[in-house]
Amino acid sequence: MDELPSILASIGEEVEDAEEECFLLFAQDIPSANLGFVDSRATTVDIPIHGRDYTIHQSPTLLSSSRAGGTTGAVLWKITPLFAEWISALHSNPLWGHALLSASSTVVELGCGISGLIALALAPSVRHYIATDQPYVQRLLRENLATNAAPAPRNPKSKTARTPARKRGAPAAADDNPHPNITFTSLDWELDVAASLKDGVGLDSSDGGDGDDPGFDLLLSCDCIYNEALVAPFVRTCAELCGLRPGYTATGTGTRRRPTLCIIAQQQRSPDVFEAWLREAMTVFRVWRLSDEVLGPQLQLGSGYLVHLLLLRG
């Protein structure tokens, strides 16, 4: 724990003022990405990550429906493949280099959507991955997990090629999940008790968890901040999950469990919504904006995307 302050200082700059941060980020030119869909009309999209192709099934019909509670998770958003590639880059991402993420990590994602793309990219390198969202995403999420059971390397001559993934369009069985360390559970930020999440999915020492630890190593969310009405319940849910472990203090003894890291990635859209989120988050979290050197060109300042690291205050 003693080394955590120096690690954080090396990978990002702590945000001291929400208004200044918002002005800095939105005063510069931001590339136009429209709403941020990869392709809102396609029923499938192919996404390469670390040399492997993933086929993602999505639902343009559901996206355009009037379903109560929203439908934004019905299609893939542009930031998701970029974030999935960054967070799963074991040899270049400093979270792995500093052992903030490791093969023993337990990860939970808020607002996973139908794609499961971050889970597919990251889960092979961690102990357990819990994907959460509203129940309507579950059918397509299961299909995408099944479709991408064994994504083959893009080079067909590679000696490490695996068994091809299930053919595109083939139906997925209701319990078809070839990724045993990926669990989906529904989580409503406004209605559910986030603190019971780990118990709710039955994660204990017998299936790769830690029965003495109700918390998580990493909480992440990708492009879930676009509606000011959801800012308060979203931040509250993040705080409840991170609060399952002790908050961050600068005088840790190095003997207790490391606090939960919270990483929030988002597309730059409305400065008002962003500032509302940041103000709310800073009431309970310390916040760092990850540096360009850490993020790389696809997510760096000016890309139209933002990535912040949060630690619950002790």
Side-chain angles (χ1 to χ4, degrees):
M1 277 277 300
D2 289 337
E3 79 280 7
L4 190 55
S6 61
I7 293 174
L8 296 176
S10 72
I11 65 176
E13 180 177 351
E14 185 167 5
V15 178
E16 303 290 349
D17 184 276
E19 184 177 357
E20 288 183 6
E21 176 78 349
C22 186
F23 178 80
L24 170 66
L25 297 177
F26 285 87
Q28 56 189 302
D29 292 335
I30 301 171
S32 174
N34 300 316
L35 288 176
F37 304 125
V38 172
D39 185 343
S40 63
R41 298 181 179 181
T43 56
T44 61
V45 291
D46 293 323
I47 302 294
I49 294 179
H50 298 311
R52 294 185 177 181
D53 291 322
Y54 295 85
T55 296
I56 302 301
H57 301 264
Q58 53 180 21
S59 178
T61 302
L62 180 57
L63 177 68
S64 60
S65 72
S66 57
R67 177 190 171 277
T71 61
T72 55
V75 296
L76 184 63
W77 295 73
K78 290 181 178 178
I79 188 175
T80 304
L82 304 179
F83 182 79
E85 186 162 39
W86 175 77
I87 195 70
S88 61
L90 276 62
H91 301 295
S92 60
N93 190 314
L95 298 178
W96 294 93
H98 291 296
L100 299 177
L101 270 176
S102 70
S104 63
S105 294
T106 301
V107 179
V108 59
E109 178 183 359
L110 298 182
C112 64
I114 52 87
S115 75
L117 194 57
I118 302 174
L120 286 165
L122 185 56
S125 302
V126 300
R127 174 182 289 172
H128 202 95
Y129 193 104
I130 301 174
T132 74
D133 208 316
Q134 298 182 64
Y136 79 91
V137 309
Q138 186 171 11
R139 182 186 66 81
L140 276 172
L141 176 63
R142 285 182 179 274
E143 184 172 4
N144 285 322
L145 293 178
T147 298
N148 297 285
R154 300 179 72 186
N155 179 3
K157 297 180 181 180
S158 172
K159 294 182 180 180
T160 59
R162 302 179 184 177
T163 304
R166 185 170 53 86
K167 290 183 179 181
R168 184 182 305 177
D175 59 352
D176 190 4
N177 181 3
H179 310 272
N181 71 328
I182 299 177
T183 303
F184 172 80
T185 186
S186 61
L187 181 66
D188 188 307
W189 306 335
E190 297 180 283
L191 301 176
D192 293 335
V193 179
S196 64
L197 181 60
K198 208 168 187 180
D199 290 338
V201 298
L203 184 60
D204 56 30
S205 57
S206 65
D207 56 9
D210 185 343
D212 296 328
D213 175 25
F216 303 90
D217 298 289
L218 174 65
L219 166 64
L220 60 85
S221 179
C222 190
D223 217 9
C224 290
I225 302 167
Y226 49 83
N227 184 340
E228 193 165 349
L230 292 176
V231 163
F234 174 79
V235 172
R236 183 173 61 251
T237 299
C238 292
E240 287 182 10
L241 290 171
C242 292
L244 296 172
R245 286 185 178 176
Y248 170 78
T249 62
T251 57
T253 63
T255 59
R256 71 184 187 188
R257 200 180 300 275
R258 179 169 283 164
T260 300
L261 295 180
C262 179
I263 297 182
I264 307 297
Q266 58 191 298
Q267 181 178 323
Q268 285 183 261
R269 295 187 181 90
S270 164
D272 293 337
V273 173
F274 172 80
E275 186 173 346
W277 164 74
L278 188 55
R279 285 185 182 279
E280 187 79 15
M282 291 179 69
T283 63
V284 288
F285 288 97
R286 292 180 66 179
V287 180
W288 286 259
R289 174 167 33 87
L290 298 185
S291 69
D292 290 353
E293 292 76 17
V294 167
L295 294 174
Q298 295 190 104
L299 291 171
Q300 68 183 11
L301 203 60
S303 66
Y305 305 115
L306 304 170
V307 183
H308 289 81
L309 183 151
L310 286 62
L311 283 179
L312 194 66
R313 296 181 185 274

